[in-house]
Amino acid sequence: MSDARGPNETSTDGAQPGGSEGPGYTTPQAAIEESTPEKVAYVMGLYVGTDVDAPDFLGVVDVDPDSDTYTEVIDRVEMPNRGDELHHFGWNACSSSCHTEGLERRHLVIPGQRSSRIHIVDTNDRRNPELTKVIEPEEVFEHDLSAPHTVHCIPDGNILISMLGDRDGDLPGGFLALDEDFEVEGRWEPPGEIEMNYDYWYQPRHDVMVSSEWAAPKTYYPGFDLDDVEAGNYGQRIHVWDWEDRTVEQTLDLGEEGLIPLEVRFLHSPEATHGYVGAALSSNVFHFYDAGDEWRAESVIDVDAREHEGWEMPVPGLVTDLLVSMDDRYLFFSNWLHGDVRMYDISDPSNPRLADRIWAGGHFGDPAPVQNRELAGGPQMLQLSLDGERLYWTTSLFSSWDNQFYPEEAERGSVMLKADVNPRRGTMQLDEEFLVDFGELPTGPARAHEIRWPDGDCTSDVWQ
Amino acid sequence: MSGSSVHETVLSWSAGHERVIGARADESVLSAAERADLALPFGCRTGACATCTGRVVDGRIEHSRPPRALKDRHLAAGYVLLCIAEPRSDCRIEVGSDVQTELVSNPWK
């Protein structure tokens, strides 16, 4: 990186000085070595689907143990409308585009899953971000797309958003591109390349992108219905794209062991052609890789369904989120219904080895309260510090699905928890001192979803 | 209510309270509630997401476009999507976020 400075050379507390900031780190190893411990976390907070008459918000959580407001939600950027269901979000620039002159890693792109509205938030003042632009749903519907999900910055300052439905919330989904001024450019791919969409990750050095499948928005929005599974309305395939051509080169059907493949994570090394995708309903983790003449995907972790006292059918774990540590050594995933977070050693990517796990919340494992706070949901969205030593998670999945499986969460709100990770020994320990209670906000108990760091994180940064 | 184009619409929450609004035949119940400064849950406003689900217990409504988030069994049970539901008579409708949660239950329980 010639002209961009690492964030450790700038203030990480409060307003950043003016001028051009480095939008990322030159390599994953540089991210580990040069990063300083995270001080604030950006967390989605939501009220959609409840009777609380308030809009969803971007929460700023103080995660600096030396701060007087440690573990508090110190600021909330309220969206201008109710009903968005803020869900996943991303940066205008990450390490993929660190050689692009003049780009700052500064703006968060925050879509509304239900509203299809897209918000741009300026984080120049890290502790007091500001909403600066709103793309209204009509502008998204014009491109026959809805239900924005994963946001990745892509090279040259553009931003790509996976869209799960057409303008009516039906299939097919696709991808929407924004330019560096956050104007809608239009559809990224030729329409019709895929039917279902969800998450995606790209590895530019290998000219490849992998996308996954949830379902049509109209299917998953109201809640989870087994009739839809039987009707084949949920996904079980992943798509391997030619990144330059924007076309699907290969589709891998994961079969019954791969029902509802959600989060896609390549290893961080730009050289790597290995990645993972978690199949939520089958509760499996698939390893996908370039076998030379084709891509292959194999189930490498299988979570057995468990009998629950008083419930009629064995309950799947529901692997809803997973991430790979920045050094590509560990895979973490959440078992949202069962209630554990697992850590696997993936030194051999095709043979993950269970290293450790933590039980917290969920329907199994006799969940203990943290600081006398009853947990009303299972571990869900994960985020790991760049040095791999602190794992954080929230408990909300999706408002209507939460109401089905953890109805108490609507009244109690979500929590954000943390584990201390020892990467050398491969162990985790729940930090009992750390609890962010989204149940205690002035506007009412809120759900908490995805977590991002200002300086790069393990679930969004890509290297060219 | 005078005239045929405005319908007296009783909104009823499970907690027990009720409010009466006048809903025009050419506006959704959600819009009529907003005009009356009443907050109801909503999401997509296009009939795809069911966040705004209500249940008609008396009266007649028509959806201005297909209610894609509702299945036949939901429609048969009187569920409506208030973002696209227009009254065709005086109505009584159960509203609030817990109506949406009635659409689906925990299949493993």
Side-chain angles (χ1 to χ4, degrees), chain A residues 68-88:
Chain A
D68 291 341
T69 51
Y70 182 49
T71 72
E72 289 176 24
V73 180
I74 54 173
D75 191 36
R76 287 180 299 140
V77 182
E78 290 201 323
M79 299 301 124
N81 297 81
R82 292 193 298 123
D84 288 312
E85 184 125 24
L86 303 184
H87 195 62
H88 286 222

Side-chain angles (χ1 to χ4, degrees), chain A residues 88-271:
Chain A
H88 286 222
F89 63 131
W91 288 96
N92 68 309
C94 82
S95 298
S96 67
S97 41
C98 70
H99 295 288
T100 304
E101 235 169 276
L103 262 191
E104 285 182 77
R105 180 195 187 84
R106 167 167 165 175
H107 290 94
L108 283 168
V109 179
I110 307 178
Q113 230 307 302
R114 285 181 198 265
S115 66
S116 300
R117 189 174 287 110
I118 300 168
H119 310 86
I120 311 299
V121 168
D122 183 347
T123 67
N124 189 43
D125 181 346
R126 289 187 174 187
R127 296 170 77 94
N128 294 287
E130 269 179 55
L131 179 73
T132 56
K133 183 182 166 105
V134 178
I135 299 169
E136 292 297 337
E138 291 70 27
E139 214 183 320
V140 173
F141 298 154
E142 265 177 42
H143 301 277
D144 202 16
L145 292 168
S146 70
H149 193 271
T150 300
V151 177
H152 278 296
C153 52
I154 58 176
D156 303 325
N158 291 347
I159 291 151
L160 189 62
I161 307 175
S162 61
M163 308 291 295
L164 275 53
D166 69 6
R167 68 162 70 85
D168 292 325
D170 216 322
L171 298 174
F175 290 87
L176 185 75
L178 308 183
D179 68 17
E180 63 183 298
D181 299 317
F182 310 110
E183 299 287 337
V184 174
E185 259 197 355
R187 245 184 136 114
W188 177 78
E189 87 293 9
E193 282 292 295
I194 49 169
E195 285 287 302
M196 294 181 199
N197 202 3
Y198 180 70
D199 192 34
Y200 73 99
W201 193 293
Y202 66 102
Q203 211 52 339
R205 202 172 289 189
H206 298 285
D207 194 26
V208 68
M209 173 173 98
V210 172
S211 68
S212 59
E213 298 189 331
W214 192 3
K218 70 169 188 187
T219 301
Y220 67 77
Y221 275 153
F224 176 73
D225 186 342
L226 273 184
D227 288 352
D228 286 318
V229 178
E230 281 155 27
N233 293 340
Y234 278 101
Q236 58 178 54
R237 302 182 301 173
I238 57 172
H239 306 278
V240 183
W241 295 70
D242 182 311
W243 176 245
E244 281 286 317
D245 284 358
R246 308 178 179 186
T247 51
V248 173
E249 293 291 289
Q250 199 187 332
T251 289
L252 300 169
D253 190 330
L254 307 180
E256 282 192 5
E257 295 298 291
L259 273 170
I260 316 189
L262 295 180
E263 311 303 330
V264 178
R265 317 289 184 209
F266 262 103
L267 298 190
H268 296 283
S269 163
E271 285 293 321

Side-chain angles (χ1 to χ4, degrees), chain A residues 49 168 222 225 228 312 404, chain B residues 65 68 71 73 100 105 108:
Chain A
D168 292 325
D225 186 342
D228 286 318
E312 283 179 14
Q404 256 178 297
Chain B
R65 53 182 303 194
R68 299 174 307 289
K71 297 188 161 112
R73 69 174 197 263
Q100 189 279 322
S105 55
W108 292 289

